[in-house]
Amino acid sequence: MKLNLLFSAAALLFIMPLSQGENISIKGSGPGYKGQELRIFKQSDPVTLRHKPLLRVRADEHDSFEVHLTLNEPSLIYINAGIYSFSLFTETGKDYVILLPPFEPKPGIEEQNPFFRETVLIPEILNEKEDVNNLIRSFDTEYNPIFNQVAGRVFINYKRTEIPALIEN
């Protein structure tokens, strides 16, 4: 019995530090963000796509911001600013330096509109060129025009047998 209790206590002491999560930092800048509020969310459920608010931060006088988060697992983080929603795939224990496009405020009439959808962008990661976010950006840049071309041609009644030839071109 004492051995069982001792083993349980040792296991608990080993597991406790692992469950606290690891810190990540996100630094970013872009023209026009001076004094603007950036709202940071975590995707809490991949099925319903719900966002859990994490914090709000204001960009400093140099158009940049920095936040530190504690995460227990790789997570999808959203940073909302103006008309943009930046999606960022994060891993625990990593630091991210992101480049933001020029700030564009949300039109005043859209501030209270629950149906307004921000433009979703994946920001460029400056401190690690082979980061998964940069790879997704590169893939989207190459793939989207091809997909749009094929979809446009299919839409104007191409025959199914002609579709593979469109993809190969």
Side-chain angles (χ1 to χ4, degrees):
M1 180 69 171
K2 287 184 179 181
L3 184 62
N4 212 7
L5 182 61
L6 182 63
F7 179 72
S8 297
L12 186 61
L13 289 174
F14 178 72
I15 292 173
M16 284 295 279
L18 297 177
S19 65
Q20 293 181 5
E22 292 185 50
N23 290 333
I24 70 162
S25 74
I26 303 172
K27 300 175 188 175
S29 64
Y33 285 87
K34 178 180 178 180
Q36 298 298 327
E37 181 181 69
L38 292 96
R39 293 170 294 149
I40 300 169
F41 301 88
K42 175 182 173 185
Q43 183 174 330
S44 60
D45 183 8
V47 175
T48 62
L49 303 177
R50 293 189 186 231
H51 295 173
K52 175 185 172 188
L54 295 177
L55 58 100
R56 294 172 183 231
V57 65
R58 287 208 178 274
D60 63 18
E61 62 273 359
H62 304 292
D63 296 332
S64 62
F65 73 96
E66 181 175 352
V67 296
H68 300 278
L69 304 171
T70 301
L71 300 175
N72 294 325
E73 60 191 1
S75 301
L76 181 56
I77 301 294
Y78 289 96
I79 303 171
N80 291 358
I83 65 166
Y84 298 116
S85 179
F86 304 104
S87 66
L88 186 65
F89 293 96
T90 60
E91 297 177 39
T92 57
K94 291 182 77 175
D95 297 328
Y96 298 90
V97 178
I98 62 176
L99 177 64
L100 302 177
F103 180 78
E104 290 189 39
K106 194 182 292 186
I109 196 166
E110 299 295 348
E111 283 294 331
Q112 301 300 320
N113 182 356
F115 301 105
F116 180 81
R117 296 276 184 219
E118 288 89 359
T119 302
V120 179
L121 297 175
I122 298 175
E124 181 180 356
I125 308 299
L126 299 175
N127 61 324
E128 190 176 332
K129 295 298 180 192
E130 294 298 317
D131 185 80
V132 68
N133 294 288
N134 288 340
L135 298 174
I136 293 170
R137 281 174 49 93
S138 298
F139 176 80
D140 286 349
T141 300
E142 295 294 324
Y143 175 75
N144 286 345
I146 296 168
F147 176 80
N148 291 339
Q149 180 186 16
V150 171
R153 288 187 179 177
V154 169
F155 182 73
I156 58 173
N157 297 322
Y158 265 77
K159 297 176 186 156
R160 282 189 176 176
T161 55
E162 296 175 357
I163 294 174
L166 290 174
I167 296 171
E168 292 172 4
N169 289 337

